[in-house]
Structure formats: structure tokens, C-alpha cells
Amino acid sequence: KAGVTQTPRYLIKTRGQQVTLSCSPISGHRSVSWYQQTPGQGLQFLFEYFSETQRNKGNFPGRFSGRQFSNSRSEMNVSTLELGDSALYLCASREGDAPGEFFGPGTRLTVL
Amino acid sequence: DAKTTQPNSMESNEEEPVHLPCNHSTISGTDYIHWYRQLPSQGPEYVIHGLTSNVNNRMASLAIAEDRKSSTLILHRATLRDAAVYYCILNLLRNTDKLIFGTGTRLQVFP
């Protein structure tokens, strides 16, 4: 099976813009989670989707949103970008309730 | 969410065993202990998980203290490829998932 894929791998935006990141989970995995990784805060949970429904959410402002499609692919959106949003955004998928999340390579977002 | 405490860094020589400790004194009875690692420039990778009994898989072994307040990830023979940041995470293994990553232990492996 192909692993978790994320597009784009690198992105440069300016303050105030918005951005959409995409994640394709491993085939058959219905749970998709998003994480933000920064040098200062480490890895932080953003949200989790299962069967097109958000079922868990981290402590991030409303500028961060996401959705999941019927084919389990997921997108996350960040509006009104701030410099502090510069980070590696990681997507992970899981098969049902099985242990272990499979992470993608991430999208590195730079906000100028 | 229960917290975990790990040393910031550890060193090992190649082909030696490595014992990575994790303290989780506030663990609840339903928390599973998960270990992930993150190799440079990659996303985290699942290593192993356990609840009460020691566990072995092809990557590592997990030794869990009898009171469950601490655990140790054991790499039996470290290789250069094992150099990574290792995260010990407590997680409720049910139909909702939310991993709380700490700062992890950066493992350096020397040839």
C-alpha cells in the first residue's frame, strides 16, 4: 500500500493570505489527524476526522479548519496567515481503532 | 491529559543496546503507552505500544513497570539508522485519537 501523501511539500505565503494543505491517507484508513510541528512548541495536535466528521480538536484558533471527503482524503485550511504559523504540518492516518498512526512527510509552510 | 517525562538526549554506540526511559506517574488505568520516533526530515513513525505487559516487536521491546508509572523502550542493537527523536506518549486506545507529544529524547548513535 502507498503511504500517507501530503501536497504540497513546501509552500511560501505572506501574512494575511490563506492556505490549503492536502492529505491522502493510506488506502482503507478512515481516520485522519493533523499536527503542527514547530521548534518552539514541538508537535501539537490540530484535529482529527473520521468518516467526514471532526471528532477531536486541539487548542488552535478558528483560523485553522479542516474537512474530510468521502474518499477519506482531508484538507486543512489556515486563513489570515501569521508569521507564527510557519511550521511543518503533518497528517497521519489510522485504520479504524487499530493502534499506531502512520504519518506523512509533512508540508513545510513558511509565512513571510 | 497525563504527562510524560523523558531525558532530553541520550547517546549510544552502534550495536549496543539502548534503554530509553519514560516517566508517567499520573497515568490512568485506561491509558496505553505508545512510542513513536521521528527520523530527521521525516514524519513520526509508530514504534510500539503496550498497556500492562511487556511487549516485543521487530523494531523494539517495551518494558512497563509493575505500577505503570514508568516504562522503557529497548533497542536491542542500535544502528546509525536509529538516530532519531523518541517520543513516549500516553493515549486512550479507543475510537478517538489524539496524540500528545512531549519533547522526546534525542538519541545519537555513534559508529
Side-chain angles (χ1 to χ4, degrees), chain B residues 6-7 15 42-43 50 53 66 69 76 91-92 95 105 110:
Chain B
Q6 301 176 252
E15 304 206 357
Q42 294 187 29
S53 305
E66 205 169 317
K69 292 184 186 301
H76 295 285
N91 181 239
L92 291 170
N95 62 1
T105 297
F110 299 104

Side-chain angles (χ1 to χ4, degrees), chain A residues 47-62:
Chain A
F47 27 66
E48 182 209 3
Y49 286 87
F50 182 83
S51 293
E52 301 178 66
T53 301
Q54 186 183 88
R55 67 178 182 183
N56 216 336
K57 191 176 188 304
N59 297 323
F60 278 81

Side-chain angles (χ1 to χ4, degrees), chain A residues 37 48 55-56 94 97 101, chain B residues 36 38 44 95-97 99:
Chain A
Q37 186 170 30
E48 182 209 3
R55 67 178 182 183
N56 216 336
R94 190 160 66 100
D97 293 340
E101 292 197 72
Chain B
Y36 283 76
Q38 189 171 20
N95 62 1
T96 182
D97 198 35
L99 297 178

Side-chain angles (χ1 to χ4, degrees), chain A residues 3-26:
Chain A
V4 177
T5 57
Q6 293 187 246
T7 56
R9 292 294 310 279
Y10 302 91
L11 204 49
I12 299 175
K13 291 284 189 179
T14 56
R15 276 184 302 175
Q17 286 187 307
Q18 75 154 20
V19 68
T20 299
L21 312 181
S22 182
C23 170
S24 292
I26 292 173

Side-chain angles (χ1 to χ4, degrees), chain B residues 5-20:
Chain B
T5 304
Q6 301 176 252
N8 287 335
S9 63
M10 291 186 65
E11 297 176 353
S12 174
N13 293 318
E14 217 177 353
E15 304 206 357
E16 286 184 355
V18 180
H19 291 230
L20 297 163

Side-chain angles (χ1 to χ4, degrees), chain A residues 99, chain B residues 32-35 46-65 68 71-76:
Chain B
Y32 282 74
I33 302 158
H34 291 245
W35 284 82
Y46 166 80
V47 177
I48 200 167
H49 81 285
L51 183 62
T52 56
S53 305
N54 294 344
V55 185
N56 300 297
N57 68 19
R58 63 173 182 80
M59 289 181 72
S61 296
L62 177 59
I64 301 172
R68 298 205 335 121
S71 61
T72 303
L73 179 71
I74 303 166
L75 306 179
H76 295 285

